[in-house]
Amino acid sequence: MEQTKALNALEPFLALSKSAAHPRAAADLITQATSAPDTYIFAELLQQPQIQVLAQNDQFSSHLRLLQFFSYGTWQSYHDDTSGLPSLNDAQTLKLRQLSLVSLARDRSNLSYGALHKALGLSSARELEELVITAMYAGLLHATLDPANEAVQVTSVAPLRDLQPDAIPAMVQALRNWSERCDSTLGDLEAQIRTIRASAAVRQNEKRAAENKLQSLVRDAQEPDKVYELTSRESLPGMGFNKRSMAETANPIFDAMMESEDAYGSEERGQRANKRKM
């Protein structure tokens, strides 16, 4: 929401830049845009041809440089510059300090009163607290003042600062490194998943084999007559059973076999008796 509001506030100056044919008109437009309320994003204005042409003008090139500080610079970098930048009016001074506070708030480990005084060119805690309050009302950040510990506790920062021209390659590289770490982590996870699935398949096969063996033993235990019949038939000769006793439980075919054997035995006994008489 804050970003949309800032872009809408910059829109009139973008329209005016198209008709700023003279370098002085372009320089005045920069002063107006950086002084206007709610204008905090200036990248589109920087890209306008009528604004970029100021880089070739010795008299007004400093205005282009000033716009760059409002786009992605800080109060400290503005004062460290020795190229002769235009002086700031009250509105520009407040805005550049507010934008600098947004950049400093990204490093929340060093937001003490002392560090902020130095970075923002402030001389008292009251001035710092007033600046933080105005930045909060402008929607630039959400913070809590902690006078007891002389620190500013920032909870969130609005995306109202432009990227430096050389920041994009570094960001792309950081994203590429992050993507490679993600790919490596995903590869490790997939390998672990394959190992777990293989182990689970082995355990399942072993479980199935054990269950089949148990079911077979249970079926055998539930059919004792079958086991006894097989065992009994295998041990009949050793137990001394004669053919007649087996015949008592045999079938008709077995009976016929026994009768044939008896007849053959009777004939053989008669032949032996005749031989003795002779």
Side-chain angles (χ1 to χ4, degrees):
M1 181 180 296
E2 292 83 2
Q3 202 171 38
T4 301
K5 183 178 179 181
L7 290 172
N8 291 337
L10 186 66
E11 192 64 33
F13 300 101
L14 293 175
L16 290 173
S17 69
K18 301 181 185 305
S19 59
H22 194 276
R24 180 177 293 278
D28 291 341
L29 183 63
I30 290 174
T31 301
Q32 296 171 24
T34 54
S35 302
D38 301 326
T39 53
Y40 298 104
I41 300 176
F42 303 97
E44 289 192 49
L45 186 60
L46 267 172
Q47 296 170 4
Q48 298 302 312
Q50 291 81 356
I51 300 299
Q52 284 293 319
V53 76
L54 294 179
Q56 310 301 324
N57 188 290
D58 294 338
Q59 183 179 358
F60 298 106
S61 60
S62 59
H63 285 76
L64 176 61
R65 181 67 175 157
L66 178 65
L67 183 59
Q68 291 172 344
F69 279 107
F70 274 87
S71 184
Y72 47 77
T74 63
W75 176 269
Q76 188 70 48
S77 61
Y78 166 81
H79 281 278
D80 290 342
D81 193 282
T82 59
S83 61
L85 294 171
S87 58
L88 302 177
N89 58 36
D90 291 343
Q92 289 174 314
T93 298
L94 175 62
K95 182 172 295 186
L96 187 55
R97 279 175 170 159
Q98 289 175 334
L99 292 172
S100 300
L101 180 60
V102 171
S103 296
L104 293 169
R106 294 171 181 170
D107 182 10
R108 303 179 187 182
S109 62
N110 190 20
L111 292 177
S112 64
Y113 278 23
L116 293 175
H117 285 161
K118 181 179 180 181
L120 300 173
L122 301 173
S123 58
S124 67
R126 182 179 179 84
E127 289 180 336
L128 175 60
E129 291 169 354
E130 289 177 352
L131 177 65
V132 173
I133 291 172
T134 59
M136 292 173 61
Y137 275 112
L140 300 178
L141 52 80
H142 294 281
T144 302
L145 296 171
D146 188 2
N149 295 316
E150 294 189 344
V152 179
Q153 306 294 333
V154 176
T155 56
S156 64
V157 179
L160 293 177
R161 297 246 59 190
D162 298 316
L163 293 175
Q164 297 185 21
D166 57 348
I168 295 178
M171 184 179 298
V172 170
Q173 184 61 43
L175 291 174
R176 184 177 293 112
N177 294 339
W178 174 78
S179 177
E180 290 175 355
R181 290 195 299 270
C182 290
D183 291 341
S184 177
T185 302
L186 289 174
D188 294 340
L189 290 175
E190 289 176 355
Q192 293 179 12
I193 291 173
R194 288 194 295 269
T195 301
I196 292 172
R197 286 178 175 174
S199 300
V202 171
R203 290 195 299 270
Q204 184 66 23
N205 292 335
E206 293 176 348
K207 180 180 179 181
R208 187 179 297 109
E211 290 177 350
N212 292 338
K213 184 175 182 180
L214 178 60
Q215 292 175 1
S216 177
L217 293 174
V218 170
R219 286 194 299 269
D220 292 343
Q222 291 175 347
E223 299 178 1
D225 295 341
K226 179 179 178 181
V227 177
Y228 176 76
E229 180 181 354
L230 293 174
T231 304
S232 299
R233 289 183 178 180
E234 292 175 354
S235 58
L236 282 176
M239 295 174 64
F241 289 170
N242 54 33
K243 295 179 180 179
R244 184 62 61 184
S245 62
M246 292 174 62
E248 293 178 357
T249 58
N251 54 28
I253 297 175
F254 183 81
D255 293 338
M257 292 173 61
M258 292 298 298
E259 291 176 358
S260 174
E261 185 176 353
D262 290 341
Y264 176 78
S266 298
E267 181 180 358
E268 185 179 4
R269 286 193 296 272
Q271 293 177 355
R272 286 199 299 268
N274 293 330
K275 288 180 179 180
R276 284 195 299 269
K277 291 179 180 181
M278 295 174 63

